[in-house]
Amino acid sequence: MGSGGGAAIVPRVNDQLRRRSVGAPAARSVLLTILGEYVLPASGGAWQETLIGALGSLGYKTHAARQALARSVAAGWLRTERHGRRSRVLLTADTAEMLRAGAARIYGFGAPREWDGRWLLVVLRVPEQRREVRHHVRTRLAWAGFGSLGGGLWITPHLDREGELRDVAGAGSAAEVVSFRAELGELGAPAKVVAEAWDLDAVARAYRDFIARFGRIRPKGADAVFRAQTLLVHEWRKFPFLDPDLPDGMLPARWPRRRAHDLFADRHALWHDAAQGHFRGLEGSGETTAGRAAA
């Protein structure tokens, strides 16, 4: 894919991932986690019965699982191929790209990183009468990790996030966006700036809930490990959209992100083989059933 196509897909990818990551854990949202964790790394396809069985392991009834699949096909996430009386479910090209971008964001998030001290500042101007445009752009900025200092000024320590806003003030848009790259000066307290721009208390609570939940899980049996691993990834998916990923020096004392990240990495590695094996077992059952149906 050329650079133009990559730039165009970024806002769509992030909007889709954000809506499905941070919202309530409905069957279609959990299906997205299953597709990214088990289907994408393999063949990019699975039997319909495999996905229904996987959702069943996570507590979703057959009707809800079938409905999630049907809606995903209708939305263009998935396509199906008939094999006798069976259906093979395949990722579309756009969904595969979305899941790859999501995997990079999920598994690359939370690790220590270098920061050169520069901030990306964005000044947003929207005519007073276009409140719906202002709301849309503010939402985009917030989900991209920007913090608001009021008066249309937004900041983030991630200079690369500038690319996510290229389409906001395009031709015909009512929004005007101007970006700057700068360092904090000697006036004002950095901690106060951060506290005003982001609700870090809410993010810290979410991390501590994650640690409390997955720190004590000890699944027994392949089905239980599959369930624990899928829920682990599903819950971790929300943090790249909730946490502005500030540099360590800008964070409150005893910030829980590192502990949560290490727990995620440890549990994911511990459960990986068993969870993947369980999903392959579901898929193998589907292969056998499909072969009998064809015969």
PDB file of all heavy atoms in Angstrom, residues 1 9 12-13 16-17 20 28 31-37 39-40 44 71-79 89-103:
ATOM      1  N   MET A   1       0.847  -1.194   0.000  1.00  0.00           N
ATOM      2  CA  MET A   1       0.000   0.000   0.000  1.00  0.00           C
ATOM      3  C   MET A   1       0.876   1.234   0.000  1.00  0.00           C
ATOM      4  O   MET A   1       1.803   1.347   0.776  1.00  0.00           O
ATOM      5  CB  MET A   1      -0.903   0.011   1.236  1.00  0.00           C
ATOM      6  CG  MET A   1      -1.823   1.219   1.326  1.00  0.00           C
ATOM      7  SD  MET A   1      -2.919   1.140   2.764  1.00  0.00           S
ATOM      8  CE  MET A   1      -3.941  -0.249   2.327  1.00  0.00           C
ATOM      9  N   ILE A   9      -6.226   5.404   5.519  1.00  0.00           N
ATOM     10  CA  ILE A   9      -6.856   4.366   6.318  1.00  0.00           C
ATOM     11  C   ILE A   9      -6.701   4.590   7.816  1.00  0.00           C
ATOM     12  O   ILE A   9      -7.474   4.083   8.607  1.00  0.00           O
ATOM     13  CB  ILE A   9      -6.303   2.977   5.936  1.00  0.00           C
ATOM     14  CG1 ILE A   9      -7.281   1.873   6.368  1.00  0.00           C
ATOM     15  CG2 ILE A   9      -4.937   2.729   6.556  1.00  0.00           C
ATOM     16  CD1 ILE A   9      -6.921   0.508   5.846  1.00  0.00           C
ATOM     17  N   ARG A  12      -9.865   5.851   9.818  1.00  0.00           N
ATOM     18  CA  ARG A  12     -10.900   4.838   9.810  1.00  0.00           C
ATOM     19  C   ARG A  12     -10.537   3.676  10.721  1.00  0.00           C
ATOM     20  O   ARG A  12     -11.358   3.167  11.471  1.00  0.00           O
ATOM     21  CB  ARG A  12     -11.139   4.341   8.382  1.00  0.00           C
ATOM     22  CG  ARG A  12     -12.278   3.336   8.271  1.00  0.00           C
ATOM     23  CD  ARG A  12     -12.647   3.072   6.832  1.00  0.00           C
ATOM     24  NE  ARG A  12     -11.653   2.280   6.133  1.00  0.00           N
ATOM     25  CZ  ARG A  12     -10.829   2.745   5.209  1.00  0.00           C
ATOM     26  NH1 ARG A  12     -10.854   4.021   4.883  1.00  0.00           N
ATOM     27  NH2 ARG A  12      -9.961   1.957   4.598  1.00  0.00           N
ATOM     28  N   VAL A  13      -9.284   3.241  10.632  1.00  0.00           N
ATOM     29  CA  VAL A  13      -8.806   2.153  11.489  1.00  0.00           C
ATOM     30  C   VAL A  13      -8.946   2.519  12.954  1.00  0.00           C
ATOM     31  O   VAL A  13      -9.490   1.766  13.759  1.00  0.00           O
ATOM     32  CB  VAL A  13      -7.333   1.827  11.156  1.00  0.00           C
ATOM     33  CG1 VAL A  13      -6.723   0.975  12.251  1.00  0.00           C
ATOM     34  CG2 VAL A  13      -7.234   1.116   9.810  1.00  0.00           C
ATOM     35  N   GLN A  16     -12.670   2.695  14.138  1.00  0.00           N
ATOM     36  CA  GLN A  16     -13.245   1.363  14.297  1.00  0.00           C
ATOM     37  C   GLN A  16     -12.711   0.682  15.548  1.00  0.00           C
ATOM     38  O   GLN A  16     -13.472   0.122  16.345  1.00  0.00           O
ATOM     39  CB  GLN A  16     -12.912   0.509  13.062  1.00  0.00           C
ATOM     40  CG  GLN A  16     -13.739   0.851  11.836  1.00  0.00           C
ATOM     41  CD  GLN A  16     -15.064   0.090  11.819  1.00  0.00           C
ATOM     42  OE1 GLN A  16     -15.511  -0.427  12.837  1.00  0.00           O
ATOM     43  NE2 GLN A  16     -15.684   0.029  10.666  1.00  0.00           N
ATOM     44  N   LEU A  17     -11.395   0.693  15.707  1.00  0.00           N
ATOM     45  CA  LEU A  17     -10.792   0.036  16.859  1.00  0.00           C
ATOM     46  C   LEU A  17     -11.227   0.687  18.161  1.00  0.00           C
ATOM     47  O   LEU A  17     -11.484   0.016  19.155  1.00  0.00           O
ATOM     48  CB  LEU A  17      -9.270   0.067  16.744  1.00  0.00           C
ATOM     49  CG  LEU A  17      -8.663  -0.851  15.688  1.00  0.00           C
ATOM     50  CD1 LEU A  17      -7.179  -0.563  15.556  1.00  0.00           C
ATOM     51  CD2 LEU A  17      -8.895  -2.308  16.025  1.00  0.00           C
ATOM     52  N   ARG A  20     -14.884  -0.313  19.067  1.00  0.00           N
ATOM     53  CA  ARG A  20     -15.027  -1.708  19.468  1.00  0.00           C
ATOM     54  C   ARG A  20     -14.176  -2.056  20.685  1.00  0.00           C
ATOM     55  O   ARG A  20     -14.419  -3.062  21.346  1.00  0.00           O
ATOM     56  CB  ARG A  20     -14.667  -2.624  18.297  1.00  0.00           C
ATOM     57  CG  ARG A  20     -15.601  -2.455  17.099  1.00  0.00           C
ATOM     58  CD  ARG A  20     -17.022  -2.849  17.434  1.00  0.00           C
ATOM     59  NE  ARG A  20     -17.958  -2.407  16.411  1.00  0.00           N
ATOM     60  CZ  ARG A  20     -19.274  -2.549  16.493  1.00  0.00           C
ATOM     61  NH1 ARG A  20     -19.809  -3.107  17.570  1.00  0.00           N
ATOM     62  NH2 ARG A  20     -20.070  -2.119  15.523  1.00  0.00           N
ATOM     63  N   ARG A  28     -20.039  -8.706  19.080  1.00  0.00           N
ATOM     64  CA  ARG A  28     -19.293  -8.282  17.899  1.00  0.00           C
ATOM     65  C   ARG A  28     -17.945  -7.677  18.280  1.00  0.00           C
ATOM     66  O   ARG A  28     -16.963  -7.818  17.558  1.00  0.00           O
ATOM     67  CB  ARG A  28     -20.137  -7.277  17.102  1.00  0.00           C
ATOM     68  CG  ARG A  28     -19.625  -7.068  15.691  1.00  0.00           C
ATOM     69  CD  ARG A  28     -20.627  -6.298  14.884  1.00  0.00           C
ATOM     70  NE  ARG A  28     -19.987  -5.754  13.706  1.00  0.00           N
ATOM     71  CZ  ARG A  28     -20.410  -4.656  13.079  1.00  0.00           C
ATOM     72  NH1 ARG A  28     -21.460  -4.011  13.541  1.00  0.00           N
ATOM     73  NH2 ARG A  28     -19.786  -4.224  12.012  1.00  0.00           N
ATOM     74  N   LEU A  31     -15.810 -10.613  19.106  1.00  0.00           N
ATOM     75  CA  LEU A  31     -15.464 -11.274  17.847  1.00  0.00           C
ATOM     76  C   LEU A  31     -14.250 -10.607  17.214  1.00  0.00           C
ATOM     77  O   LEU A  31     -13.372 -11.292  16.666  1.00  0.00           O
ATOM     78  CB  LEU A  31     -16.661 -11.227  16.892  1.00  0.00           C
ATOM     79  CG  LEU A  31     -16.418 -11.750  15.468  1.00  0.00           C
ATOM     80  CD1 LEU A  31     -16.021 -13.227  15.488  1.00  0.00           C
ATOM     81  CD2 LEU A  31     -17.660 -11.532  14.601  1.00  0.00           C
ATOM     82  N   LEU A  32     -14.171  -9.287  17.281  1.00  0.00           N
ATOM     83  CA  LEU A  32     -13.016  -8.579  16.719  1.00  0.00           C
ATOM     84  C   LEU A  32     -11.721  -9.011  17.402  1.00  0.00           C
ATOM     85  O   LEU A  32     -10.683  -9.188  16.751  1.00  0.00           O
ATOM     86  CB  LEU A  32     -13.214  -7.068  16.869  1.00  0.00           C
ATOM     87  CG  LEU A  32     -12.185  -6.167  16.172  1.00  0.00           C
ATOM     88  CD1 LEU A  32     -12.264  -6.324  14.668  1.00  0.00           C
ATOM     89  CD2 LEU A  32     -12.407  -4.713  16.558  1.00  0.00           C
ATOM     90  N   THR A  33     -11.779  -9.220  18.711  1.00  0.00           N
ATOM     91  CA  THR A  33     -10.605  -9.703  19.436  1.00  0.00           C
ATOM     92  C   THR A  33     -10.223 -11.105  18.968  1.00  0.00           C
ATOM     93  O   THR A  33      -9.039 -11.402  18.753  1.00  0.00           O
ATOM     94  CB  THR A  33     -10.881  -9.710  20.949  1.00  0.00           C
ATOM     95  OG1 THR A  33     -11.138  -8.378  21.389  1.00  0.00           O
ATOM     96  CG2 THR A  33      -9.695 -10.265  21.726  1.00  0.00           C
ATOM     97  N   ILE A  34     -11.205 -11.972  18.802  1.00  0.00           N
ATOM     98  CA  ILE A  34     -10.944 -13.336  18.331  1.00  0.00           C
ATOM     99  C   ILE A  34     -10.326 -13.313  16.937  1.00  0.00           C
ATOM    100  O   ILE A  34      -9.353 -14.035  16.654  1.00  0.00           O
ATOM    101  CB  ILE A  34     -12.248 -14.158  18.334  1.00  0.00           C
ATOM    102  CG1 ILE A  34     -12.716 -14.379  19.773  1.00  0.00           C
ATOM    103  CG2 ILE A  34     -12.063 -15.493  17.615  1.00  0.00           C
ATOM    104  CD1 ILE A  34     -14.115 -14.974  19.888  1.00  0.00           C
ATOM    105  N   LEU A  35     -10.854 -12.476  16.068  1.00  0.00           N
ATOM    106  CA  LEU A  35     -10.325 -12.384  14.700  1.00  0.00           C
ATOM    107  C   LEU A  35      -8.862 -11.931  14.716  1.00  0.00           C
ATOM    108  O   LEU A  35      -8.027 -12.466  13.982  1.00  0.00           O
ATOM    109  CB  LEU A  35     -11.164 -11.415  13.875  1.00  0.00           C
ATOM    110  CG  LEU A  35     -12.619 -11.824  13.606  1.00  0.00           C
ATOM    111  CD1 LEU A  35     -13.366 -10.679  12.911  1.00  0.00           C
ATOM    112  CD2 LEU A  35     -12.706 -13.098  12.782  1.00  0.00           C
ATOM    113  N   GLY A  36      -8.554 -10.935  15.546  1.00  0.00           N
ATOM    114  CA  GLY A  36      -7.195 -10.416  15.595  1.00  0.00           C
ATOM    115  C   GLY A  36      -6.217 -11.351  16.265  1.00  0.00           C
ATOM    116  O   GLY A  36      -5.062 -11.465  15.846  1.00  0.00           O
ATOM    117  N   GLU A  37      -6.664 -12.051  17.307  1.00  0.00           N
ATOM    118  CA  GLU A  37      -5.756 -12.879  18.103  1.00  0.00           C
ATOM    119  C   GLU A  37      -5.536 -14.265  17.496  1.00  0.00           C
ATOM    120  O   GLU A  37      -4.440 -14.829  17.619  1.00  0.00           O
ATOM    121  CB  GLU A  37      -6.322 -13.022  19.525  1.00  0.00           C
ATOM    122  CG  GLU A  37      -5.427 -13.765  20.485  1.00  0.00           C
ATOM    123  CD  GLU A  37      -4.157 -12.996  20.861  1.00  0.00           C
ATOM    124  OE1 GLU A  37      -4.044 -11.798  20.519  1.00  0.00           O
ATOM    125  OE2 GLU A  37      -3.274 -13.614  21.481  1.00  0.00           O
ATOM    126  N   VAL A  39      -7.468 -15.619  14.224  1.00  0.00           N
ATOM    127  CA  VAL A  39      -7.721 -15.825  12.799  1.00  0.00           C
ATOM    128  C   VAL A  39      -6.668 -15.138  11.938  1.00  0.00           C
ATOM    129  O   VAL A  39      -6.125 -15.738  11.005  1.00  0.00           O
ATOM    130  CB  VAL A  39      -9.142 -15.333  12.415  1.00  0.00           C
ATOM    131  CG1 VAL A  39      -9.377 -15.476  10.915  1.00  0.00           C
ATOM    132  CG2 VAL A  39     -10.197 -16.117  13.203  1.00  0.00           C
ATOM    133  N   LEU A  40      -6.351 -13.884  12.237  1.00  0.00           N
ATOM    134  CA  LEU A  40      -5.374 -13.144  11.432  1.00  0.00           C
ATOM    135  C   LEU A  40      -4.004 -13.827  11.392  1.00  0.00           C
ATOM    136  O   LEU A  40      -3.422 -13.949  10.310  1.00  0.00           O
ATOM    137  CB  LEU A  40      -5.241 -11.713  11.962  1.00  0.00           C
ATOM    138  CG  LEU A  40      -4.229 -10.825  11.227  1.00  0.00           C
ATOM    139  CD1 LEU A  40      -4.705 -10.522   9.806  1.00  0.00           C
ATOM    140  CD2 LEU A  40      -3.989  -9.530  11.990  1.00  0.00           C
ATOM    141  N   GLY A  44      -6.277 -16.436   8.054  1.00  0.00           N
ATOM    142  CA  GLY A  44      -7.170 -15.321   7.728  1.00  0.00           C
ATOM    143  C   GLY A  44      -8.604 -15.758   7.522  1.00  0.00           C
ATOM    144  O   GLY A  44      -9.442 -14.982   7.075  1.00  0.00           O
ATOM    145  N   ARG A  71     -23.882  -9.515  11.176  1.00  0.00           N
ATOM    146  CA  ARG A  71     -23.697  -8.060  11.133  1.00  0.00           C
ATOM    147  C   ARG A  71     -22.296  -7.690  10.650  1.00  0.00           C
ATOM    148  O   ARG A  71     -22.122  -6.680   9.965  1.00  0.00           O
ATOM    149  CB  ARG A  71     -23.964  -7.465  12.517  1.00  0.00           C
ATOM    150  CG  ARG A  71     -25.441  -7.481  12.906  1.00  0.00           C
ATOM    151  CD  ARG A  71     -25.675  -6.912  14.295  1.00  0.00           C
ATOM    152  NE  ARG A  71     -27.097  -6.822  14.598  1.00  0.00           N
ATOM    153  CZ  ARG A  71     -27.589  -6.457  15.781  1.00  0.00           C
ATOM    154  NH1 ARG A  71     -26.738  -6.149  16.771  1.00  0.00           N
ATOM    155  NH2 ARG A  71     -28.889  -6.391  15.975  1.00  0.00           N
ATOM    156  N   SER A  72     -21.317  -8.510  11.000  1.00  0.00           N
ATOM    157  CA  SER A  72     -19.950  -8.245  10.556  1.00  0.00           C
ATOM    158  C   SER A  72     -19.809  -8.455   9.054  1.00  0.00           C
ATOM    159  O   SER A  72     -19.085  -7.724   8.378  1.00  0.00           O
ATOM    160  CB  SER A  72     -18.973  -9.148  11.312  1.00  0.00           C
ATOM    161  OG  SER A  72     -19.008  -8.863  12.703  1.00  0.00           O
ATOM    162  N   VAL A  73     -20.511  -9.450   8.529  1.00  0.00           N
ATOM    163  CA  VAL A  73     -20.520  -9.661   7.077  1.00  0.00           C
ATOM    164  C   VAL A  73     -21.236  -8.502   6.387  1.00  0.00           C
ATOM    165  O   VAL A  73     -20.752  -7.956   5.382  1.00  0.00           O
ATOM    166  CB  VAL A  73     -21.193 -11.007   6.728  1.00  0.00           C
ATOM    167  CG1 VAL A  73     -21.403 -11.124   5.212  1.00  0.00           C
ATOM    168  CG2 VAL A  73     -20.352 -12.172   7.238  1.00  0.00           C
ATOM    169  N   ALA A  74     -22.389  -8.100   6.924  1.00  0.00           N
ATOM    170  CA  ALA A  74     -23.148  -7.000   6.334  1.00  0.00           C
ATOM    171  C   ALA A  74     -22.355  -5.693   6.352  1.00  0.00           C
ATOM    172  O   ALA A  74     -22.476  -4.870   5.432  1.00  0.00           O
ATOM    173  CB  ALA A  74     -24.468  -6.822   7.085  1.00  0.00           C
ATOM    174  N   ALA A  75     -21.524  -5.505   7.374  1.00  0.00           N
ATOM    175  CA  ALA A  75     -20.734  -4.278   7.496  1.00  0.00           C
ATOM    176  C   ALA A  75     -19.461  -4.314   6.650  1.00  0.00           C
ATOM    177  O   ALA A  75     -18.735  -3.320   6.578  1.00  0.00           O
ATOM    178  CB  ALA A  75     -20.363  -4.038   8.962  1.00  0.00           C
ATOM    179  N   GLY A  76     -19.171  -5.460   6.028  1.00  0.00           N
ATOM    180  CA  GLY A  76     -17.971  -5.561   5.197  1.00  0.00           C
ATOM    181  C   GLY A  76     -16.716  -5.963   5.941  1.00  0.00           C
ATOM    182  O   GLY A  76     -15.632  -5.960   5.360  1.00  0.00           O
ATOM    183  N   TRP A  77     -16.854  -6.345   7.207  1.00  0.00           N
ATOM    184  CA  TRP A  77     -15.693  -6.827   7.963  1.00  0.00           C
ATOM    185  C   TRP A  77     -15.239  -8.180   7.435  1.00  0.00           C
ATOM    186  O   TRP A  77     -14.055  -8.467   7.353  1.00  0.00           O
ATOM    187  CB  TRP A  77     -16.040  -7.025   9.436  1.00  0.00           C
ATOM    188  CG  TRP A  77     -16.177  -5.808  10.263  1.00  0.00           C
ATOM    189  CD1 TRP A  77     -16.326  -4.518   9.837  1.00  0.00           C
ATOM    190  CD2 TRP A  77     -16.203  -5.771  11.697  1.00  0.00           C
ATOM    191  NE1 TRP A  77     -16.446  -3.686  10.911  1.00  0.00           N
ATOM    192  CE2 TRP A  77     -16.380  -4.417  12.054  1.00  0.00           C
ATOM    193  CE3 TRP A  77     -16.100  -6.739  12.679  1.00  0.00           C
ATOM    194  CZ2 TRP A  77     -16.447  -4.015  13.390  1.00  0.00           C
ATOM    195  CZ3 TRP A  77     -16.179  -6.344  14.001  1.00  0.00           C
ATOM    196  CH2 TRP A  77     -16.347  -4.994  14.356  1.00  0.00           C
ATOM    197  N   LEU A  78     -16.233  -9.017   7.119  1.00  0.00           N
ATOM    198  CA  LEU A  78     -15.990 -10.404   6.753  1.00  0.00           C
ATOM    199  C   LEU A  78     -16.720 -10.747   5.459  1.00  0.00           C
ATOM    200  O   LEU A  78     -17.668 -10.067   5.068  1.00  0.00           O
ATOM    201  CB  LEU A  78     -16.490 -11.342   7.865  1.00  0.00           C
ATOM    202  CG  LEU A  78     -15.918 -11.137   9.273  1.00  0.00           C
ATOM    203  CD1 LEU A  78     -16.709 -11.960  10.283  1.00  0.00           C
ATOM    204  CD2 LEU A  78     -14.447 -11.504   9.316  1.00  0.00           C
ATOM    205  N   ARG A  79     -16.262 -11.816   4.818  1.00  0.00           N
ATOM    206  CA  ARG A  79     -16.992 -12.383   3.690  1.00  0.00           C
ATOM    207  C   ARG A  79     -17.072 -13.891   3.898  1.00  0.00           C
ATOM    208  O   ARG A  79     -16.302 -14.464   4.686  1.00  0.00           O
ATOM    209  CB  ARG A  79     -16.314 -12.060   2.362  1.00  0.00           C
ATOM    210  CG  ARG A  79     -14.898 -12.593   2.209  1.00  0.00           C
ATOM    211  CD  ARG A  79     -14.274 -12.136   0.904  1.00  0.00           C
ATOM    212  NE  ARG A  79     -12.909 -12.634   0.765  1.00  0.00           N
ATOM    213  CZ  ARG A  79     -12.602 -13.808   0.224  1.00  0.00           C
ATOM    214  NH1 ARG A  79     -13.598 -14.591  -0.236  1.00  0.00           N
ATOM    215  NH2 ARG A  79     -11.357 -14.222   0.128  1.00  0.00           N
ATOM    216  N   VAL A  89     -15.624 -18.415   6.850  1.00  0.00           N
ATOM    217  CA  VAL A  89     -15.638 -16.977   7.105  1.00  0.00           C
ATOM    218  C   VAL A  89     -14.230 -16.442   6.895  1.00  0.00           C
ATOM    219  O   VAL A  89     -13.280 -16.948   7.496  1.00  0.00           O
ATOM    220  CB  VAL A  89     -16.135 -16.668   8.531  1.00  0.00           C
ATOM    221  CG1 VAL A  89     -16.175 -15.161   8.771  1.00  0.00           C
ATOM    222  CG2 VAL A  89     -17.524 -17.276   8.758  1.00  0.00           C
ATOM    223  N   LEU A  90     -14.093 -15.412   6.056  1.00  0.00           N
ATOM    224  CA  LEU A  90     -12.781 -14.876   5.690  1.00  0.00           C
ATOM    225  C   LEU A  90     -12.709 -13.387   6.001  1.00  0.00           C
ATOM    226  O   LEU A  90     -13.699 -12.657   5.853  1.00  0.00           O
ATOM    227  CB  LEU A  90     -12.521 -15.095   4.196  1.00  0.00           C
ATOM    228  CG  LEU A  90     -12.597 -16.545   3.713  1.00  0.00           C
ATOM    229  CD1 LEU A  90     -12.590 -16.587   2.191  1.00  0.00           C
ATOM    230  CD2 LEU A  90     -11.441 -17.356   4.269  1.00  0.00           C
ATOM    231  N   LEU A  91     -11.533 -12.936   6.429  1.00  0.00           N
ATOM    232  CA  LEU A  91     -11.309 -11.509   6.651  1.00  0.00           C
ATOM    233  C   LEU A  91     -11.270 -10.786   5.308  1.00  0.00           C
ATOM    234  O   LEU A  91     -10.664 -11.275   4.353  1.00  0.00           O
ATOM    235  CB  LEU A  91      -9.976 -11.279   7.368  1.00  0.00           C
ATOM    236  CG  LEU A  91      -9.764 -11.951   8.725  1.00  0.00           C
ATOM    237  CD1 LEU A  91      -8.341 -11.701   9.202  1.00  0.00           C
ATOM    238  CD2 LEU A  91     -10.764 -11.440   9.743  1.00  0.00           C
ATOM    239  N   THR A  92     -11.896  -9.618   5.228  1.00  0.00           N
ATOM    240  CA  THR A  92     -11.720  -8.777   4.052  1.00  0.00           C
ATOM    241  C   THR A  92     -10.360  -8.083   4.153  1.00  0.00           C
ATOM    242  O   THR A  92      -9.739  -8.049   5.220  1.00  0.00           O
ATOM    243  CB  THR A  92     -12.823  -7.725   3.933  1.00  0.00           C
ATOM    244  OG1 THR A  92     -12.751  -6.849   5.078  1.00  0.00           O
ATOM    245  CG2 THR A  92     -14.204  -8.373   3.895  1.00  0.00           C
ATOM    246  N   ALA A  93      -9.902  -7.534   3.032  1.00  0.00           N
ATOM    247  CA  ALA A  93      -8.592  -6.872   3.026  1.00  0.00           C
ATOM    248  C   ALA A  93      -8.551  -5.712   4.012  1.00  0.00           C
ATOM    249  O   ALA A  93      -7.560  -5.528   4.741  1.00  0.00           O
ATOM    250  CB  ALA A  93      -8.259  -6.394   1.619  1.00  0.00           C
ATOM    251  N   ASP A  94      -9.627  -4.913   4.069  1.00  0.00           N
ATOM    252  CA  ASP A  94      -9.661  -3.767   4.989  1.00  0.00           C
ATOM    253  C   ASP A  94      -9.640  -4.229   6.448  1.00  0.00           C
ATOM    254  O   ASP A  94      -9.001  -3.604   7.301  1.00  0.00           O
ATOM    255  CB  ASP A  94     -10.903  -2.915   4.736  1.00  0.00           C
ATOM    256  CG  ASP A  94     -10.725  -1.967   3.565  1.00  0.00           C
ATOM    257  OD1 ASP A  94      -9.605  -1.888   3.020  1.00  0.00           O
ATOM    258  OD2 ASP A  94     -11.722  -1.308   3.190  1.00  0.00           O
ATOM    259  N   THR A  95     -10.358  -5.315   6.746  1.00  0.00           N
ATOM    260  CA  THR A  95     -10.376  -5.817   8.118  1.00  0.00           C
ATOM    261  C   THR A  95      -9.009  -6.351   8.522  1.00  0.00           C
ATOM    262  O   THR A  95      -8.542  -6.112   9.646  1.00  0.00           O
ATOM    263  CB  THR A  95     -11.436  -6.918   8.273  1.00  0.00           C
ATOM    264  OG1 THR A  95     -12.714  -6.380   7.949  1.00  0.00           O
ATOM    265  CG2 THR A  95     -11.465  -7.445   9.699  1.00  0.00           C
ATOM    266  N   ALA A  96      -8.353  -7.060   7.608  1.00  0.00           N
ATOM    267  CA  ALA A  96      -7.007  -7.556   7.902  1.00  0.00           C
ATOM    268  C   ALA A  96      -6.060  -6.394   8.182  1.00  0.00           C
ATOM    269  O   ALA A  96      -5.257  -6.441   9.114  1.00  0.00           O
ATOM    270  CB  ALA A  96      -6.494  -8.397   6.734  1.00  0.00           C
ATOM    271  N   GLU A  97      -6.162  -5.316   7.400  1.00  0.00           N
ATOM    272  CA  GLU A  97      -5.323  -4.138   7.626  1.00  0.00           C
ATOM    273  C   GLU A  97      -5.641  -3.489   8.973  1.00  0.00           C
ATOM    274  O   GLU A  97      -4.737  -3.088   9.710  1.00  0.00           O
ATOM    275  CB  GLU A  97      -5.543  -3.136   6.496  1.00  0.00           C
ATOM    276  CG  GLU A  97      -4.745  -1.852   6.614  1.00  0.00           C
ATOM    277  CD  GLU A  97      -3.253  -2.077   6.465  1.00  0.00           C
ATOM    278  OE1 GLU A  97      -2.844  -3.067   5.833  1.00  0.00           O
ATOM    279  OE2 GLU A  97      -2.487  -1.253   6.997  1.00  0.00           O
ATOM    280  N   MET A  98      -6.925  -3.403   9.292  1.00  0.00           N
ATOM    281  CA  MET A  98      -7.333  -2.828  10.568  1.00  0.00           C
ATOM    282  C   MET A  98      -6.786  -3.642  11.734  1.00  0.00           C
ATOM    283  O   MET A  98      -6.279  -3.087  12.715  1.00  0.00           O
ATOM    284  CB  MET A  98      -8.861  -2.764  10.651  1.00  0.00           C
ATOM    285  CG  MET A  98      -9.386  -2.211  11.971  1.00  0.00           C
ATOM    286  SD  MET A  98     -11.195  -2.132  12.024  1.00  0.00           S
ATOM    287  CE  MET A  98     -11.615  -3.867  12.169  1.00  0.00           C
ATOM    288  N   LEU A  99      -6.857  -4.970  11.618  1.00  0.00           N
ATOM    289  CA  LEU A  99      -6.393  -5.828  12.700  1.00  0.00           C
ATOM    290  C   LEU A  99      -4.877  -5.786  12.836  1.00  0.00           C
ATOM    291  O   LEU A  99      -4.341  -5.852  13.950  1.00  0.00           O
ATOM    292  CB  LEU A  99      -6.873  -7.259  12.475  1.00  0.00           C
ATOM    293  CG  LEU A  99      -8.386  -7.468  12.604  1.00  0.00           C
ATOM    294  CD1 LEU A  99      -8.759  -8.888  12.185  1.00  0.00           C
ATOM    295  CD2 LEU A  99      -8.874  -7.179  14.012  1.00  0.00           C
ATOM    296  N   ARG A 100      -4.160  -5.682  11.729  1.00  0.00           N
ATOM    297  CA  ARG A 100      -2.696  -5.552  11.811  1.00  0.00           C
ATOM    298  C   ARG A 100      -2.322  -4.253  12.518  1.00  0.00           C
ATOM    299  O   ARG A 100      -1.418  -4.223  13.360  1.00  0.00           O
ATOM    300  CB  ARG A 100      -2.079  -5.586  10.418  1.00  0.00           C
ATOM    301  CG  ARG A 100      -2.116  -6.952   9.757  1.00  0.00           C
ATOM    302  CD  ARG A 100      -1.315  -6.978   8.465  1.00  0.00           C
ATOM    303  NE  ARG A 100      -1.638  -8.165   7.691  1.00  0.00           N
ATOM    304  CZ  ARG A 100      -2.480  -8.179   6.667  1.00  0.00           C
ATOM    305  NH1 ARG A 100      -3.074  -7.060   6.272  1.00  0.00           N
ATOM    306  NH2 ARG A 100      -2.726  -9.305   6.025  1.00  0.00           N
ATOM    307  N   ALA A 101      -3.001  -3.166  12.145  1.00  0.00           N
ATOM    308  CA  ALA A 101      -2.736  -1.884  12.808  1.00  0.00           C
ATOM    309  C   ALA A 101      -3.083  -1.972  14.296  1.00  0.00           C
ATOM    310  O   ALA A 101      -2.366  -1.445  15.147  1.00  0.00           O
ATOM    311  CB  ALA A 101      -3.538  -0.766  12.139  1.00  0.00           C
ATOM    312  N   GLY A 102      -4.187  -2.660  14.598  1.00  0.00           N
ATOM    313  CA  GLY A 102      -4.582  -2.821  15.990  1.00  0.00           C
ATOM    314  C   GLY A 102      -3.586  -3.641  16.777  1.00  0.00           C
ATOM    315  O   GLY A 102      -3.261  -3.316  17.918  1.00  0.00           O
ATOM    316  N   ALA A 103      -3.065  -4.707  16.172  1.00  0.00           N
ATOM    317  CA  ALA A 103      -2.082  -5.541  16.854  1.00  0.00           C
ATOM    318  C   ALA A 103      -0.816  -4.750  17.155  1.00  0.00           C
ATOM    319  O   ALA A 103      -0.242  -4.860  18.252  1.00  0.00           O
ATOM    320  CB  ALA A 103      -1.760  -6.764  15.996  1.00  0.00           C
TER     321      ALA A 103
END
